[in-house]
Amino acid sequence: RIIAMGFPSTGRESYYRNPMPEVERFFAKRHPEHFRVYNLCRERAYDNPSRFGGRHARFPFDDHNAPSDLGLIPAFIKDATGFLRADEENVVAIHCK
């Protein structure tokens, strides 16, 4: 119920990273209404707040580093576990850069 993935990308970057349209299609088809994507990347946000139908959250910290605000860790865990516990069909996808 936990999916780890790379940053969903557009443009040239999508040649070597997860293409955003394909990632959105995957979740819409395989987990409709039962997914949340977590962006842990400080350096990048999504280009459109309606990505994934708004089913995403951001807990930003620098890539390959511990968060400078340690409060992000329990906040992220609370959010993700709350979502997973809300419905047995729910899945979370977590990515950084």
Side-chain angles (χ1 to χ4, degrees):
R1 301 196 23 216
I2 299 173
I3 300 168
M5 63 184 211
F7 192 94
S9 300
T10 57
R12 288 184 176 167
E13 195 173 40
S14 66
Y15 294 134
Y16 57 91
R17 291 193 185 271
N18 298 326
M20 178 66 81
E22 288 182 27
V23 175
E24 288 180 310
R25 270 193 303 274
F26 170 81
F27 286 109
K29 180 179 179 181
R30 304 284 287 218
H31 304 286
E33 307 296 317
H34 289 282
F35 70 90
R36 183 174 290 165
V37 178
Y38 288 91
N39 178 1
L40 305 183
C41 183
R42 177 183 304 279
E43 299 87 355
R44 301 179 62 185
Y46 301 138
D47 60 351
N48 185 330
S50 66
R51 288 288 185 192
F52 303 107
R55 297 178 171 281
H56 58 85
R58 190 167 181 226
F59 291 87
F61 56 91
D62 293 331
D63 202 28
H64 302 287
N65 290 283
S68 56
D69 175 5
L70 292 178
L72 284 175
I73 295 171
F76 162 68
I77 292 170
K78 181 180 180 182
D79 193 89
T81 56
F83 183 75
L84 288 170
R85 288 178 180 156
D87 192 309
E88 288 185 6
E89 291 187 43
N90 286 353
V91 299
V92 296
I94 305 164
H95 70 79
C96 58
K97 196 162 94 177

